[in-house]
Amino acid sequence: MDADPLKRWQVLKLRWLRRLPGEPRKKIKRLMQRGDEFMQLGQPELGEYCYQLSRELAQEAGTIHLLKKLEQRVENTLS
């Protein structure tokens, strides 16, 4: 088997969360929180994926302050 089915299911849920209608800022913050939760649970792959999705949304929406916040979180997790 290539991938853990649980992780695949979580990735699908995260993609779905990104595509839900709603305010982009709320979705970005929600994805960042999920990324933090995954990092704390010891699942850095899913955490980084959440950060990646939130970064893409922030770039599309043009929310520079959320991009800076996200970069700080990524730097803190790497160090």
Side-chain angles (χ1 to χ4, degrees):
M1 224 173 226
D2 294 334
D4 184 19
L6 181 60
K7 286 184 182 180
R8 284 184 39 198
W9 173 246
Q10 290 172 337
V11 167
L12 288 173
K13 284 179 18 182
L14 292 170
R15 286 184 188 168
W16 180 73
L17 180 66
R18 182 185 187 275
R19 297 190 187 279
L20 279 176
E23 188 178 343
R25 292 175 191 211
K26 287 184 181 181
K27 290 193 286 186
I28 293 166
K29 290 179 183 179
R30 191 177 310 138
L31 282 169
M32 286 171 44
Q33 289 173 348
R34 296 288 287 227
D36 293 341
E37 291 172 6
F38 284 130
M39 289 295 200
Q40 289 176 354
L41 292 173
Q43 298 177 341
E45 303 90 16
L46 289 172
E48 290 173 8
Y49 185 69
C50 286
Y51 293 150
Q52 176 187 352
L53 288 177
S54 60
R55 183 181 300 121
E56 291 172 4
L57 272 173
Q59 288 173 344
E60 289 174 10
T63 54
I64 296 172
H65 66 284
L66 289 176
L67 273 172
K68 289 181 182 179
K69 232 185 216 188
L70 183 62
E71 289 173 7
Q72 290 173 351
R73 286 185 184 189
V74 169
E75 287 176 10
N76 289 339
T77 59
L78 292 177
S79 52

